[in-house]
Amino acid sequence: MTSSYCIVIPHYRHLRPLSAMLPKLARFGLDVFVIDDASGEAVSRPLQAEIAKYPNIRLIQRKENGGKGAAMMTGLRSAAGHGHSHAISLDADGQHDPDAIPELLQRSQAQPDSLFSGRPVFGEDIPAARLYGRMLTNCLVQFVTASRMVPDAMCGLRVYPLAHVLPLCDAIGYRTRMEFDVEILVRACWAGLDVQTMDTAVTYPQDGESHFNLIADNARLVAMHALLIMGGLVRLPRTLWRRLGRRVAAR
């Protein structure tokens, strides 16, 4: 099967940084799916005008706001529906450098059955609360997967092999907001999917806008981690058995 790659960007009211990113993405010659998560007409109209400048970029508008995970799943399913085998994802807020895409693409083409995820290299601009929150999340992810395969579970710069990842989306259920990035990687590990990482620079623009709700989204993350911990304990014997089989096969 010939691989076909595209780019998926979940978007909610990030008109300025996304508009600045579009010409950089267009030059790669890949189809780009911008998923607008019901940002409203004040955002969608000027965004449509910007996107109309680029024949390989299309806007998909969700009728109701469902969160980043819902937008990502809409984008992944749209990518598969248009015949693509892989989707490169990155955030719309300007944190990720589009120049990292060619290397991600090259690595994925060499190992098309693997899921590739960015491993952030932070500068001094990262807020301390986010740094420590990531550290806690990453420790919990390594615990529930019984491995160090995922050193960072929150970076949105990734390459998803759609045939392997789309079935995992069905298990996520109502957890369609900020939980998605973490849970989809955990479920990929549970399913035995090979997860690879690549160092990538992540910046926090001074005028950047985050839609992370300190109370609501942290509560959702706590609930998700509780479910994943229970799931990880149930799957632990199978996880360890699979790992033992790989070690034996590698000898």
Side-chain angles (χ1 to χ4, degrees):
M1 177 180 175
T2 303
S3 297
S4 175
Y5 287 77
C6 67
I7 298 171
V8 171
I9 305 178
H11 151 73
Y12 179 69
R13 298 181 179 176
H14 279 117
L15 178 60
R16 183 190 54 77
L18 178 58
S19 297
M21 194 188 304
L22 293 179
K24 297 179 182 179
L25 298 176
R27 73 175 187 234
F28 295 125
L30 303 174
D31 285 343
V32 180
F33 297 88
V34 176
I35 315 301
D36 185 282
D37 194 25
S39 295
E41 296 235 347
V43 173
S44 63
R45 283 186 177 179
L47 181 59
Q48 284 178 324
E50 284 295 317
I51 286 178
K53 301 175 183 178
Y54 308 101
N56 61 322
I57 302 179
R58 69 181 71 211
L59 178 66
I60 298 175
Q61 294 179 290
R62 290 176 47 82
K63 294 181 179 179
E64 296 181 1
N65 179 269
K68 181 182 181 181
M72 272 302 307
M73 287 188 280
T74 295
L76 296 178
R77 289 168 179 147
S78 297
H82 283 82
H84 296 289
S85 61
H86 293 73
I88 301 169
S89 71
L90 70 163
D91 294 345
D93 58 5
Q95 291 186 20
H96 301 141
D97 183 1
D99 288 336
I101 289 178
E103 184 177 353
L104 267 178
L105 180 61
Q106 183 179 23
R107 293 191 182 205
S108 178
Q109 288 173 332
Q111 296 177 269
D113 287 327
S114 298
L115 189 161
F116 284 82
S117 182
R119 181 176 184 174
V121 177
F122 296 112
E124 296 181 357
D125 56 351
I126 181 172
R130 292 197 184 189
L131 178 61
Y132 295 128
R134 293 181 87 101
M135 291 172 62
L136 176 59
T137 288
N138 293 334
C139 287
L140 290 171
V141 166
Q142 291 175 14
F143 173 74
V144 300
T145 59
S147 77
R148 296 183 180 273
M149 187 181 293
V150 181
D152 187 282
M154 300 185 73
C155 183
L157 180 64
R158 296 176 180 173
V159 183
Y160 290 105
L162 297 175
H164 297 305
V165 170
L166 284 177
L168 305 179
C169 292
D170 297 333
I172 288 179
Y174 64 87
R175 297 177 298 282
T176 62
R177 294 190 177 272
M178 293 297 186
E179 313 99 312
F180 176 82
D181 285 344
V182 177
E183 184 165 351
I184 197 68
L185 279 193
V186 170
R187 294 193 175 277
C189 291
W190 284 350
L193 185 61
D194 181 49
V195 177
Q196 301 280 341
T197 59
M198 183 189 88
D199 286 352
T200 183
V202 174
T203 59
Y204 287 85
Q206 291 184 352
D207 56 349
E209 181 182 358
S210 172
H211 299 298
F212 187 88
N213 185 295
L214 189 62
I215 297 175
D217 285 320
N218 274 322
R220 293 187 184 100
L221 287 170
V222 168
M224 176 205 67
H225 281 305
L227 289 171
L228 293 181
I229 288 171
M230 290 187 289
L233 291 174
V234 170
R235 292 171 173 82
L236 184 58
R238 184 175 62 184
T239 300
L240 295 176
W241 181 256
R242 181 188 294 134
R243 185 183 302 172
L244 177 61
R246 287 177 176 173
R247 288 181 178 177
V248 171
R251 291 180 179 176

